[in-house]
Amino acid sequence: MTTETQAQTLSDGVDLLIDALKLNGITNLYGLPGIPITDLTRRAQAAGMRMISFRHEQNAGNAAAIAGFMTQKPGICLTVSAPGFLNGLTALANATTNCFPMILVSGSSEREVVDLQQGDYEEMDQLAIARPLCKAAFRVLHAEDIGVGVARAIRAAVSGRPGGVYLDLPAKVFAQSMDAEAGRKSLIKVVDPAPRQIPAPDAVQRALKLLAGAKRPLIVLGKGAAYAQADTEIRTLIEKTQIPYLPMSMAKGLLPDTHEQSAAAARSFVLPEADVVMLIGARLNWLLSHGKGKTWGGKDAKAWGGQKFIQIDISPQEADSNVPIDAPVIGDIGSCVSALLDGIGAAGSGWPQPSADWLGAISERKSKNVAKMAETLAKNPTPMNFHSALNVMRDIIKANPEAMLVNEGANALDFTRSIVDMYKPRKRIDVGTWGVMGIGMGFAVAAAVESGQPVIAIEGDSAFGFSGMEVETICRYKLPVCVVVFNNNGVYKGTDVNPSGGPDVAPTVFVKGARYDKLMEAFGGVGVHATTPAELRKAVEEAVRSRQPTLINAVIDETAGTESGRITSLNPKSAKK
Ligand code: ADP
Ligand code: TPW
């Protein structure tokens, strides 16, 4: 055989990886090239995949993670060894914490040299380091095992509680070749990667009994409910039972925030007052004050408020993690909600509705709070504050409900969450369970790539800095992303002073009057400096209409906001002043 014909009948590790991913319906890759994956990125593009190259792996990893959340397919992040791998690891850990399915695929150096610690190029025992930070970690040592490695990684990422998976590919594997036909047969098309998990009938009955006896029921929707894509079932359950509901941040829009059963504007009233709370894809972690304490009507921080809980979740270990769960319903949300609906349907018109007193009290609180907020939003102070700027953003999202909204910062996050209504499921993506800064531009890129819709990113100026260099990526791929930087000159606010009186500014203060808009202009995008709500409105409307990469430097009063936004109380308090 000539070399040429030999080459035609062989597949190498790169071919096998690309074919394995394509066979499983994966079309987009996020990553950053270098040894040993440069050829992989190039050949993936040649093979018709969309390869989005970033400026830092953390942003590529965040993009992959949110692509996983949006599509229920694992997002793929490709990195080089040791430093590239480590840069991707924060995103992998964050994905696991948030239950987003992603696979971090990293090249690594030679096992023999790494294990003897002989000092290879970018030497690091990556598998061992990744393992505690993800759901599962695999290493493939032979090209013929790539099919199995990819299949196991996909199943681990999306089945049960979704999460991050690490797939380690030593450089040698990319170059290994095998007979093309045998290679093709070694690949696995994963059948039913996230099997439905049907809840036990007695668990459903127990939940229904508790719900039927409730006087002041409440439903809490979490991002698991958004991820599950059981939108119709969830809406039917809420509307049939007439139970008021609270959406967690990324569950906003699952039902339109303007829905009359939304109790979001009466949150601090409904949590302590509810007698039975049904959690759907939401954990009772710090974001829900661990289900106890004053938020829930307990007499002190540790005390349980006396509510009964129903928890719908795919993880059997989640219940009782903070307070007793009276009725765990374990299964996928679609199946669990359908089973509940069957039970409610069987009761016919006999299914009890929440008491009129309860609904009336909520509605009264809501009207009062909405009126108060409307008053605040109508003010037009100079310089702009968070409210007057967000009044504009609120109108724009209302007019463009298909747009994706990315959101990070402290005050910029908290005010946006409470002021900007969402109208469609899975449109709001943000700092999630950790409140991590740095998701902004990675999420924005993936949101544009995966949805094809305009993306609006509302960013604190500190938050933006963590991933700001990706504005080049946004320009390079001509993505319809409009970044709005709420510039108040620092972390939280720009008004701190150096207590020592020395020449350095305070740790939370940035360069005053910085022009983030120039950053976008440097790469050919549109930069706008906005100092009034009218200027902001015009610029965002134009960005959404034109789909041009745009960055608006929105100047916000540097005295506005509070330290850490709404979670000031989590700052450690010492008796020492
Ligand atoms: P939030 O921060 O919005 O309150 P969390 O991230 O705390 O939401 O909770 C999400 C929960 O949803 C997790 O406990 C996870 O196990 C669960 N979950 C994710 N996907 C599904 C699914 N398809 N079916 C059931 N539960 C799911
Ligand atoms: C990876 C700590 C929480 S919020 C924030 C920081 C640094 C920035 C707040 O300022 P910003 O917003 O963005 O200007 P605003 O609207 O209040 O002015 N490192 C990581 N994650 C977190 N959460 C932090 C630090 C933090």
Side-chain angles (χ1 to χ4, degrees):
M1 246 196 270
T2 64
T3 321
E4 201 173 71
T5 43
Q6 254 179 6
Q8 277 169 0
T9 58
L10 292 178
S11 287
D12 65 10
V14 172
D15 292 323
L16 292 166
L17 180 60
I18 293 170
D19 290 348
L21 293 170
K22 284 177 72 174
L23 184 64
N24 285 290
I26 289 165
T27 53
N28 297 332
L29 303 174
Y30 301 91
L32 201 160
I35 295 172
I37 63 155
T38 313
D39 214 31
L40 166 64
T41 59
R42 210 179 270 134
R43 283 163 63 185
Q45 195 173 47
M49 298 183 91
R50 185 133 200 233
M51 173 69 219
I52 307 290
S53 265
F54 283 76
R55 304 299 294 262
H56 189 292
E57 291 87 349
Q58 189 179 121
N59 306 319
N62 284 326
I66 209 66
F69 170 77
M70 291 170 66
T71 64
Q72 294 184 325
K73 278 189 199 154
I76 309 290
C77 175
L78 302 178
T79 80
V80 303
S81 23
F85 156 78
L86 286 172
N87 283 345
L89 215 49
T90 306
L92 183 70
N94 188 56
T96 308
T97 297
N98 282 281
C99 317
F100 299 156
M102 80 172 272
I103 305 173
L104 177 67
V105 181
S106 294
S108 58
S109 41
E110 298 316 326
R111 290 297 335 138
E112 295 83 349
V113 187
V114 173
D115 288 348
L116 276 171
Q117 298 181 26
Q118 293 175 302
D120 206 354
Y121 167 70
E122 298 190 346
E123 176 180 295
M124 176 171 274
D125 188 358
Q126 297 172 195
L127 189 72
I129 290 166
R131 212 186 283 286
L133 299 173
C134 59
K135 229 185 125 181
F138 305 100
R139 176 185 290 136
V140 175
L141 288 177
H142 304 287
E144 64 261 35
D145 293 331
I146 287 177
V148 171
V150 169
R152 287 185 66 74
I154 291 174
R155 278 201 189 279
V158 297
S159 62
R161 171 182 278 177
V165 174
Y166 176 60
L167 185 61
D168 192 82
L169 295 175
K172 221 165 25 188
V173 176
F174 293 109
Q176 281 175 9
S177 49
M178 64 187 293
D179 174 69
E181 179 57 16
R184 197 180 57 74
K185 286 192 178 144
S186 73
L187 303 184
I188 296 173
K189 183 168 166 53
V190 180
V191 176
D192 198 11
R196 283 197 305 153
Q197 286 181 223
I198 314 293
D202 55 329
V204 173
Q205 285 313 315
R206 193 183 296 121
L208 283 170
K209 199 166 156 216
L210 197 52
L211 204 59
K215 298 222 160 27
R216 298 180 305 281
L218 176 70
I219 290 175
V220 176
L221 299 174
K223 62 172 118 58
Y227 174 78
Q229 300 196 13
D231 310 338
T232 311
E233 291 90 333
I234 290 171
R235 186 169 185 150
T236 309
L237 177 74
I238 288 175
E239 291 183 343
K240 258 217 167 117
T241 59
Q242 284 294 303
I243 298 175
Y245 71 95
L246 270 186
M248 299 299 286
S249 186
M250 281 176 60
K252 276 167 69 75
L254 205 41
L255 282 81
D257 280 336
T258 46
H259 194 285
E260 63 166 9
Q261 284 173 257
S262 169
R267 188 180 196 272
S268 59
F269 172 71
V270 290
L271 289 178
E273 291 296 324
D275 62 351
V276 175
V277 179
M278 179 154 71
L279 303 160
I280 308 184
R283 288 170 284 187
L284 279 177
N285 55 19
W286 72 281
L287 287 160
L288 280 168
S289 309
H290 305 282
K292 53 193 167 191
K294 291 198 169 147
T295 310
W296 292 87
K299 60 181 179 336
D300 59 47
K302 290 255 156 70
W304 167 55
Q307 292 83 357
K308 301 258 178 222
F309 286 101
I310 299 166
Q311 183 159 33
I312 303 181
D313 205 289
I314 203 150
S315 166
Q317 294 171 29
E318 186 53 39
D320 305 334
S321 54
N322 284 275
V323 294
I325 301 295
D326 305 272
V329 182
I330 305 308
D332 69 275
I333 287 168
S335 300
C336 292
V337 173
S338 296
L340 290 172
L341 277 171
D342 289 348
I344 290 166
S349 55
W351 184 260
Q353 301 281 303
S355 77
D357 283 357
W358 176 231
L359 298 184
I362 295 171
S363 158
E364 197 182 304
R365 276 350 177 261
K366 262 178 77 174
S367 317
K368 226 187 271 168
N369 291 341
V370 167
K372 212 158 58 183
M373 178 59 89
E375 225 172 84
T376 313
L377 291 177
K379 290 184 186 146
N380 191 3
T382 310
M384 273 191 290
N385 62 12
F386 288 101
H387 291 90
S388 61
L390 284 168
N391 189 35
V392 170
M393 302 312 296
R394 174 186 220 245
D395 290 348
I396 291 172
I397 292 290
K398 186 174 183 186
N400 299 278
E402 293 297 338
M404 295 286 306
L405 177 65
V406 177
N407 190 201
E408 62 177 335
N411 296 283
L413 176 89
D414 293 335
F415 286 125
T416 304
R417 188 179 55 234
S418 59
I419 293 169
V420 177
D421 289 329
M422 304 305 296
Y423 298 86
K424 304 254 172 167
R426 293 169 295 284
K427 294 293 182 187
R428 185 188 152 87
I429 48 183
D430 66 28
V431 300
T433 305
W434 270 347
V436 68
M437 296 299 111
I439 50 87
M441 297 304 104
F443 276 16
V445 168
V449 167
E450 301 291 335
S451 75
Q453 298 292 339
V455 178
I456 297 173
I458 303 182
E459 302 271 314
D461 50 338
S462 164
F464 172 70
F466 287 75
S467 66
M469 194 62 209
E470 302 299 343
V471 296
E472 190 275 332
T473 310
I474 291 168
C475 290
R476 184 165 17 108
Y477 292 100
K478 303 182 174 56
L479 298 173
V481 174
C482 173
V483 184
V484 181
V485 176
F486 280 0
N487 187 356
N488 61 354
N489 295 342
V491 177
Y492 314 131
K493 310 164 96 162
T495 47
D496 274 8
V497 287
N498 179 341
S500 77
D504 291 345
V505 295
T508 54
V509 170
F510 293 159
V511 166
K512 304 241 178 199
R515 292 290 300 270
Y516 292 97
D517 47 318
K518 301 280 182 199
L519 215 55
M520 189 57 108
E521 285 175 359
F523 304 107
V526 178
V528 181
H529 182 61
T531 58
T532 64
E535 286 168 4
L536 177 62
R537 186 182 301 271
K538 183 164 171 272
V540 183
E541 281 175 351
E542 177 55 20
V544 171
R545 192 201 58 72
S546 71
R547 295 174 67 95
Q548 291 295 309
T550 302
L551 192 152
I552 301 160
N553 183 54
V555 179
I556 301 288
D557 182 354
E558 66 172 7
T559 67
T562 57
E563 179 157 328
S564 308
R566 286 185 60 176
I567 53 174
T568 304
S569 63
L570 296 185
N571 282 300
K573 282 178 281 294
S574 165
K576 187 167 175 264
K577 280 277 168 219

